[in-house]
Amino acid sequence: MKSKATFYHAGCPVCIDAEKNLAFALDPQRFDLEVVHLGEHKGRLPEAKNAGVKSVPALRIGDDIYHINFGADLSALQ
Amino acid sequence: MKSKATFYHAGCPVCIDAEKNLAFALDPQRFDLEVVHLGEHKGRLPEAKNAGVKSVPALRIGDDIYHINFGADLSALQ
């Protein structure tokens, strides 16, 4: 069974770059990747916040959050 | 031909976690992953610094550097 991976971003240049080069670099045999644009889907903000996302871009793998470089603080998207 | 990916770390808990869950999550069909412990291989510090690594853990994919969470500043390893 594949693990779920969620890439949270906000469309910023840092986000787009990390999506293209890192999120899409995950092994598709092992991960189901969902890409969530928090600027366009603000309803997902509480979920991201509760999971521990503090800034975007961030990649959630299982229960772990990996903040990748820094594009924007989550509070700027609310 | 596979792309080269280099994971720079220093053995810290944040590093080990990112190595296990993120670096090893890359698609092995597309990436040749090298793991470099900068604390044990200080001779690789200039290479990492020149590539743009500012803190560990960091993942280099091609010419791009992705700082993942924050374990230690590179200057602390010199």
Short mmCIF file of all heavy atoms in Angstrom, two decimals, chain A residues 42-69:
data_model
loop_
_atom_site.label_atom_id
_atom_site.label_comp_id
_atom_site.label_asym_id
_atom_site.label_seq_id
_atom_site.Cartn_x
_atom_site.Cartn_y
_atom_site.Cartn_z
N LYS A 42 -8.44 27.66 0.78
CA LYS A 42 -8.22 28.11 2.16
C LYS A 42 -8.90 27.19 3.17
O LYS A 42 -8.55 27.16 4.35
CB LYS A 42 -8.71 29.54 2.32
CG LYS A 42 -7.81 30.56 1.61
CD LYS A 42 -8.29 31.98 1.82
CE LYS A 42 -7.53 32.98 0.97
NZ LYS A 42 -6.14 33.17 1.37
N GLY A 43 -9.87 26.43 2.73
CA GLY A 43 -10.53 25.47 3.61
C GLY A 43 -9.60 24.37 4.10
O GLY A 43 -9.91 23.69 5.08
N ARG A 44 -8.46 24.23 3.43
CA ARG A 44 -7.48 23.23 3.86
C ARG A 44 -6.48 23.79 4.85
O ARG A 44 -5.60 23.06 5.33
CB ARG A 44 -6.73 22.68 2.62
CG ARG A 44 -7.62 22.06 1.56
CD ARG A 44 -8.16 20.70 1.97
NE ARG A 44 -7.16 19.68 2.17
CZ ARG A 44 -6.72 18.85 1.19
NH1 ARG A 44 -7.22 18.94 -0.01
NH2 ARG A 44 -5.82 17.91 1.45
N LEU A 45 -6.56 25.10 5.14
CA LEU A 45 -5.60 25.72 6.06
C LEU A 45 -5.61 25.09 7.45
O LEU A 45 -4.54 24.80 8.01
CB LEU A 45 -5.84 27.23 6.15
CG LEU A 45 -5.18 28.07 5.04
CD1 LEU A 45 -5.77 29.48 5.04
CD2 LEU A 45 -3.67 28.13 5.23
N PRO A 46 -6.79 24.86 8.05
CA PRO A 46 -6.79 24.26 9.40
C PRO A 46 -6.11 22.89 9.43
O PRO A 46 -5.35 22.57 10.34
CB PRO A 46 -8.28 24.16 9.73
CG PRO A 46 -8.94 25.20 8.89
CD PRO A 46 -8.15 25.24 7.62
N GLU A 47 -6.38 22.10 8.40
CA GLU A 47 -5.75 20.78 8.30
C GLU A 47 -4.23 20.91 8.26
O GLU A 47 -3.51 20.19 8.97
CB GLU A 47 -6.27 20.09 7.03
CG GLU A 47 -5.42 18.95 6.51
CD GLU A 47 -5.65 18.75 5.00
OE1 GLU A 47 -6.81 18.76 4.55
OE2 GLU A 47 -4.64 18.58 4.28
N ALA A 48 -3.75 21.84 7.43
CA ALA A 48 -2.30 22.02 7.32
C ALA A 48 -1.71 22.50 8.64
O ALA A 48 -0.69 22.00 9.11
CB ALA A 48 -2.00 23.03 6.21
N LYS A 49 -2.40 23.47 9.25
CA LYS A 49 -1.92 24.02 10.52
C LYS A 49 -1.88 22.94 11.60
O LYS A 49 -0.90 22.82 12.34
CB LYS A 49 -2.84 25.16 10.93
CG LYS A 49 -2.30 26.04 12.02
CD LYS A 49 -3.22 27.24 12.25
CE LYS A 49 -2.74 28.06 13.43
NZ LYS A 49 -3.64 29.19 13.70
N ASN A 50 -2.95 22.16 11.69
CA ASN A 50 -3.00 21.10 12.70
C ASN A 50 -1.93 20.04 12.48
O ASN A 50 -1.47 19.41 13.43
CB ASN A 50 -4.38 20.43 12.70
CG ASN A 50 -5.45 21.33 13.27
OD1 ASN A 50 -5.15 22.27 14.01
ND2 ASN A 50 -6.71 21.07 12.92
N ALA A 51 -1.55 19.86 11.22
CA ALA A 51 -0.52 18.86 10.92
C ALA A 51 0.87 19.37 11.28
O ALA A 51 1.83 18.60 11.34
CB ALA A 51 -0.57 18.48 9.44
N GLY A 52 0.97 20.70 11.51
CA GLY A 52 2.26 21.25 11.90
C GLY A 52 2.91 22.11 10.84
O GLY A 52 4.06 22.52 11.01
N VAL A 53 2.18 22.40 9.76
CA VAL A 53 2.75 23.25 8.71
C VAL A 53 2.83 24.69 9.23
O VAL A 53 1.83 25.24 9.70
CB VAL A 53 1.89 23.20 7.43
CG1 VAL A 53 2.41 24.19 6.38
CG2 VAL A 53 1.88 21.79 6.85
N LYS A 54 4.00 25.28 9.15
CA LYS A 54 4.19 26.66 9.61
C LYS A 54 4.46 27.60 8.44
O LYS A 54 4.22 28.80 8.53
CB LYS A 54 5.35 26.73 10.60
CG LYS A 54 5.06 25.92 11.87
CD LYS A 54 6.11 26.12 12.92
CE LYS A 54 5.93 25.18 14.10
NZ LYS A 54 4.57 25.16 14.63
N SER A 55 5.00 27.06 7.37
CA SER A 55 5.27 27.87 6.18
C SER A 55 5.17 26.98 4.96
O SER A 55 5.16 25.75 5.06
CB SER A 55 6.68 28.49 6.28
OG SER A 55 7.67 27.47 6.33
N VAL A 56 5.05 27.63 3.82
CA VAL A 56 5.04 26.88 2.56
C VAL A 56 6.29 27.26 1.77
O VAL A 56 6.79 28.37 1.92
CB VAL A 56 3.77 27.19 1.73
CG1 VAL A 56 2.56 26.54 2.35
CG2 VAL A 56 3.59 28.69 1.53
N PRO A 57 6.78 26.36 0.94
CA PRO A 57 6.27 25.03 0.69
C PRO A 57 6.61 24.05 1.82
O PRO A 57 7.62 24.20 2.49
CB PRO A 57 7.00 24.62 -0.60
CG PRO A 57 8.28 25.37 -0.59
CD PRO A 57 7.96 26.68 0.08
N ALA A 58 5.70 23.09 2.00
CA ALA A 58 5.92 22.05 3.00
C ALA A 58 5.40 20.73 2.45
O ALA A 58 4.40 20.69 1.74
CB ALA A 58 5.21 22.39 4.30
N LEU A 59 6.11 19.69 2.81
CA LEU A 59 5.73 18.37 2.36
C LEU A 59 5.39 17.53 3.58
O LEU A 59 6.18 17.43 4.52
CB LEU A 59 6.90 17.74 1.59
CG LEU A 59 6.68 16.39 0.92
CD1 LEU A 59 5.60 16.46 -0.16
CD2 LEU A 59 7.99 15.90 0.30
N ARG A 60 4.19 16.97 3.58
CA ARG A 60 3.81 16.07 4.65
C ARG A 60 3.94 14.64 4.15
O ARG A 60 3.36 14.26 3.12
CB ARG A 60 2.36 16.33 5.06
CG ARG A 60 1.90 15.42 6.18
CD ARG A 60 0.45 15.66 6.57
NE ARG A 60 0.10 14.84 7.72
CZ ARG A 60 -1.07 14.91 8.35
NH1 ARG A 60 -1.99 15.76 7.96
NH2 ARG A 60 -1.31 14.13 9.39
N ILE A 61 4.71 13.87 4.87
CA ILE A 61 4.83 12.45 4.56
C ILE A 61 4.44 11.71 5.82
O ILE A 61 5.12 11.81 6.84
CB ILE A 61 6.26 12.07 4.13
CG1 ILE A 61 6.67 12.87 2.88
CG2 ILE A 61 6.36 10.58 3.84
CD1 ILE A 61 8.09 12.57 2.40
N GLY A 62 3.33 11.00 5.76
CA GLY A 62 2.80 10.37 6.96
C GLY A 62 2.46 11.47 7.95
O GLY A 62 1.73 12.41 7.62
N ASP A 63 2.99 11.40 9.15
CA ASP A 63 2.72 12.43 10.15
C ASP A 63 3.85 13.45 10.25
O ASP A 63 3.84 14.31 11.13
CB ASP A 63 2.52 11.78 11.53
CG ASP A 63 1.19 11.03 11.60
OD1 ASP A 63 0.25 11.43 10.88
OD2 ASP A 63 1.10 10.06 12.37
N ASP A 64 4.81 13.33 9.39
CA ASP A 64 5.97 14.23 9.47
C ASP A 64 5.85 15.38 8.47
O ASP A 64 5.40 15.18 7.34
CB ASP A 64 7.26 13.45 9.19
CG ASP A 64 7.49 12.37 10.23
OD1 ASP A 64 7.48 12.71 11.43
OD2 ASP A 64 7.67 11.20 9.86
N ILE A 65 6.26 16.56 8.92
CA ILE A 65 6.22 17.75 8.07
C ILE A 65 7.64 18.18 7.75
O ILE A 65 8.48 18.32 8.65
CB ILE A 65 5.51 18.92 8.78
CG1 ILE A 65 4.08 18.54 9.14
CG2 ILE A 65 5.54 20.18 7.91
CD1 ILE A 65 3.15 18.37 7.97
N TYR A 66 7.89 18.38 6.48
CA TYR A 66 9.19 18.87 6.05
C TYR A 66 9.01 20.23 5.38
O TYR A 66 8.40 20.32 4.32
CB TYR A 66 9.86 17.86 5.09
CG TYR A 66 10.06 16.55 5.79
CD1 TYR A 66 9.16 15.51 5.64
CD2 TYR A 66 11.10 16.39 6.70
CE1 TYR A 66 9.30 14.32 6.35
CE2 TYR A 66 11.25 15.21 7.41
CZ TYR A 66 10.35 14.19 7.23
OH TYR A 66 10.49 13.03 7.94
N HIS A 67 9.50 21.26 6.08
CA HIS A 67 9.47 22.61 5.51
C HIS A 67 10.65 22.72 4.57
O HIS A 67 11.79 22.45 4.97
CB HIS A 67 9.54 23.65 6.63
CG HIS A 67 8.34 23.62 7.53
ND1 HIS A 67 8.32 22.94 8.71
CD2 HIS A 67 7.11 24.18 7.38
CE1 HIS A 67 7.12 23.08 9.28
NE2 HIS A 67 6.36 23.83 8.49
N ILE A 68 10.39 23.12 3.36
CA ILE A 68 11.41 23.13 2.31
C ILE A 68 11.70 24.57 1.93
O ILE A 68 10.82 25.27 1.41
CB ILE A 68 10.93 22.33 1.09
CG1 ILE A 68 10.63 20.89 1.50
CG2 ILE A 68 11.95 22.38 -0.03
CD1 ILE A 68 9.67 20.18 0.58
N ASN A 69 12.93 25.00 2.20
CA ASN A 69 13.26 26.41 1.99
C ASN A 69 12.17 27.26 2.63
O ASN A 69 11.57 26.86 3.62
CB ASN A 69 13.48 26.71 0.50
CG ASN A 69 14.73 26.01 -0.04
OD1 ASN A 69 15.63 25.65 0.72
ND2 ASN A 69 14.79 25.81 -1.33
#
